[in-house]
Amino acid sequence: MKVFVLALSTSNYRSVIAALRTQDVDAIPLSVSQLKHLEDESLIIIPGVGNVSHLCEEISTHISISDLSKFIVSSGHYVVGICLGFQFMCKASFENISSKCLGLFPFEVKRIDKFQELPSVGWKKIEKCLPLDKSLSLKSSRWVKHLESNFFYFTHSYAVLDIPLTNDYEAYHYVMNKRSVIASIMSERYIGFQFHPEKSGRNGLLLLKHVVKSTQANFPKK
Amino acid sequence: MIRLIARVDIRNGYHIKTIKCEGVDKIRPIKSSIELFSSGIYEYDEIVLVDNVASLYGFNNWMLREGKHCYCPVPLSVGGAINNESQAKATLEIGADKIIINTGAIENPSILESISNCCGRQAVILQVDAKSYNGNYMCATHGSREISDISVREWLSMAYEFGVGEIHLTSVDSEGTSIRFSDELAEIAFSSSRLPIIISGGIRNASDILHFSKNYGANSFSLSSIPNIHNIDTKSLRHQLKDLDLHVRQT
């Protein structure tokens, strides 16, 4: 299994690659135009810093968002989105509702607090909020222990908020002004991190390492 | 939650010891300090690199001079003679998570808004060097060597409208000395702006952190003497703060 990081200008992809290297993971920078030519099952990391419309514009110059979404769904690739990259994996973002997103998670991204100009910045401790039945775990349980009750670094104005209670996803959140702000959500092949694991000190680096190792274990050895 | 930030004053590739923002001695290479303060028992919540002489010589900041991508596992803020959008963007692209501006903003306040628009408010920190002058706290520029004609109170009250994300406020008169950060300055700061304010210069120990947290609501502290002079590791500091009932990240 190879690990790729999308080399988007609306991102800090070099920091993500450097972070993985500290954990002996050699991640390869990948341009959007190379994405659809990936043949082997891979782990693709979508980093993101900034504005969803800029990210969508950048990707759309190489491939339409709906084609990209279809490609990911029909491939066997695993996808990890970080911050804006995670928001791009969702259904839509109210940061710019006309910007098409991938729809890999059926949730909308909304402004955390419409009365608050300042973004939510800083370290937050996250707790499990889904599945509804907290004793359930998806296959990801091997690395999720690195999430529960740990602190991670966030910097965002928009987020997935108040997901309906379900057993279909595993999710972690922090609470701000009584609102549940999703910190991480995962399904069979997709993982989203609202925080920046590459900027969350030792905990973040360990998390990245174990996500990669755990994903690697899902692919049959060739 | 209390945010513990490692303050790294820099010159010529070195982390330097300063007294009242004047460099007096080398401590270690900058890269060694970045590694030290982003891992292990000295892991801080963030690191700020303060370059107080860049604006005197018109140099680019350290990161741009190095010219190589610099990775830091915790948020890294970098300053030093940033006075336009392209320098700010270049600094972020080469590894900084936030940029710090002081002199450039006082000389031309409009650059704050333009940098904030292109890079995002959360990526812009306004550095304010406060010096007592004729009974008032005034903003100092050029490595705190010159006193501007704008007071700290006035400058901080405008910061939000300029699009700045947070303020890094240094008490020049107590920085690197054994004097505590001034209560009068804290009162001015926290009554002038609703932005997050990081206070620096004269935060000497856990009791000082408790004092400013309890009396002024301060929650962000930029520390230099604690790790470099008193040799208190961050893990121990976190335990001390927890014992004082302060909410702080445990590593």
Side-chain angles (χ1 to χ4, degrees):
Chain A
M1 182 197 85
K2 288 189 182 152
V3 180
F4 296 95
V5 179
L6 266 192
L8 299 165
S9 68
T10 31
S11 81
N12 62 343
Y13 74 92
R14 290 186 187 91
S15 289
V16 175
I17 290 174
L20 288 163
R21 198 176 302 124
T22 68
Q23 306 302 302
D24 296 325
V25 175
D26 282 321
I28 305 160
L30 184 75
S31 69
V32 181
S33 53
Q34 292 171 308
L35 190 57
K36 54 191 176 196
H37 301 301
L38 284 184
E39 286 174 9
D40 297 318
E41 286 166 328
S42 310
L43 172 60
I44 302 165
I45 298 176
I46 307 178
V49 172
N51 188 295
V52 73
S53 57
H54 295 154
L55 189 150
C56 293
E57 267 167 40
E58 184 175 352
I59 291 188
S60 304
T61 56
H62 299 279
I63 181 172
S64 81
I65 308 291
S66 53
D67 283 350
L68 177 58
S69 180
K70 284 176 198 157
F71 164 75
I72 290 173
V73 168
S74 61
S75 72
H77 300 313
Y78 281 66
V79 180
V80 174
I82 295 175
C83 194
L84 186 66
F86 158 49
Q87 294 176 7
F88 179 58
M89 289 169 76
C90 294
K91 187 168 84 170
S93 172
F94 279 78
E95 187 175 20
N96 188 330
I97 203 65
S98 60
S99 290
K100 204 156 165 48
C101 295
L102 289 173
L104 302 175
F105 294 120
F107 308 117
E108 289 175 335
V109 174
K110 299 176 184 170
R111 192 167 182 96
I112 299 172
D113 185 341
K114 59 184 177 184
F115 301 113
Q116 170 68 277
E117 260 305 316
L118 296 175
S120 171
V121 180
W123 293 83
K124 317 276 185 196
K125 189 174 177 182
I126 68 175
E127 311 287 354
K128 192 171 181 177
C129 59
L130 286 179
L132 185 57
D133 179 349
K134 299 249 170 80
S135 64
L136 287 179
S137 270
L138 298 183
K139 280 168 60 173
S140 53
S141 58
R142 269 172 290 189
W143 56 265
V144 293
K145 62 184 179 183
H146 294 281
L147 289 176
E148 179 70 42
S149 299
N150 274 325
F151 286 88
F152 295 94
Y153 183 76
F154 292 78
T155 175
H156 61 133
S157 299
Y158 288 82
V160 174
L161 304 168
D162 306 319
I163 292 184
L165 296 173
T166 171
N167 283 331
D168 295 339
Y169 293 89
E170 191 158 342
Y172 290 73
H173 73 161
Y174 69 90
V175 176
M176 188 164 99
N177 299 333
K178 296 181 185 173
R179 297 206 76 168
S180 169
V181 182
I182 293 301
S184 176
I185 190 156
M186 55 214 81
S187 59
E188 188 71 24
R189 278 194 291 128
Y190 311 132
I191 299 166
F193 296 129
Q194 181 59 67
F195 54 86
H196 288 271
E198 77 283 6
K199 289 286 161 183
S200 295
R202 183 174 173 273
N203 281 344
L205 296 178
L206 285 178
L207 178 68
L208 284 172
K209 173 170 131 179
H210 287 283
V211 166
V212 169
K213 280 176 93 165
S214 178
T215 309
Q216 222 153 24
N218 291 326
F219 291 106
K221 282 202 168 101
K222 289 186 181 167
Chain B
M1 194 173 83
I2 299 292
R3 208 172 21 143
L4 299 174
I5 298 166
R7 178 187 173 124
V8 177
D9 288 90
I10 64 176
R11 186 184 297 180
N12 294 335
Y14 277 87
H15 176 181
I16 56 170
K17 175 176 161 38
T18 55
I19 295 177
K20 300 190 181 188
C21 298
E22 287 277 359
V24 297
D25 204 1
K26 284 181 189 170
I27 297 177
R28 64 182 80 81
I30 297 171
K31 286 229 169 102
S32 301
S33 283
I34 291 177
E35 271 174 41
L36 178 66
F37 297 132
S38 61
S39 59
I41 61 169
Y42 278 94
E43 183 182 308
Y44 272 79
D45 296 327
E46 300 186 30
I47 298 173
V48 299
L49 300 188
V50 180
D51 186 339
N52 275 334
V53 295
S55 57
L56 290 175
Y57 301 109
F59 282 160
N60 282 333
N61 60 72
W62 169 75
M63 240 163 177
L64 293 180
R65 288 203 299 277
E66 277 276 295
K68 283 184 297 194
H69 184 264
C70 172
Y71 170 62
C72 177
V74 297
L76 179 67
S77 303
V78 177
I82 292 176
N83 54 26
N84 60 54
E85 239 178 77
S86 68
Q87 278 190 329
K89 276 163 82 164
T91 306
L92 294 171
E93 275 165 22
I94 209 160
D97 301 292
K98 304 185 231 188
I99 57 105
I100 305 174
I101 312 182
N102 178 12
T103 302
I106 288 191
E107 290 180 339
N108 178 15
S110 66
I111 62 159
L112 288 173
E113 203 180 337
S114 71
I115 292 175
S116 171
N117 285 338
C118 87
C119 304
R121 182 192 274 271
Q122 72 282 354
V124 183
I125 300 182
L126 182 65
Q127 162 78 13
V128 179
D129 288 342
K131 250 181 159 168
S132 178
Y133 184 73
N134 289 342
N136 286 319
Y137 276 101
M138 305 301 288
C139 296
T141 62
H142 296 90
S144 74
R145 286 166 182 78
E146 294 179 21
I147 307 280
S148 73
D149 56 10
I150 188 163
S151 73
V152 169
R153 187 185 294 281
E154 197 184 341
W155 193 224
L156 291 191
S157 68
M158 298 193 288
Y160 180 85
E161 294 307 320
F162 282 136
V164 158
E166 56 192 314
I167 294 163
H168 184 271
L169 173 66
T170 299
S171 166
V172 176
D173 301 314
S174 53
E175 195 277 321
T177 69
S178 55
I179 307 166
R180 192 174 72 182
F181 189 98
S182 151
D183 276 274
E184 187 189 343
L185 181 57
E187 175 62 44
I188 290 170
F190 291 100
S191 62
S192 300
S193 179
R194 54 182 163 128
L195 287 169
I197 301 178
I198 304 162
I199 58 174
S200 187
I203 306 297
R204 306 160 301 179
N205 48 45
S207 298
D208 286 350
I209 291 174
L210 175 68
H211 172 79
F212 289 102
S213 169
K214 204 169 74 166
N215 294 300
Y216 303 98
N219 62 11
S220 305
F221 301 89
S222 177
L223 309 172
S224 180
S225 62
I226 288 179
N228 299 302
I229 310 300
H230 306 301
N231 293 316
I232 299 171
D233 66 80
T234 327
K235 210 169 176 73
S236 302
L237 179 62
R238 292 183 196 280
H239 283 311
Q240 289 171 19
L241 294 172
K242 194 173 169 213
D243 288 344
L244 293 171
D245 281 332
L246 289 171
H247 185 208
V248 65
R249 174 172 81 105
Q250 297 301 316
T251 54

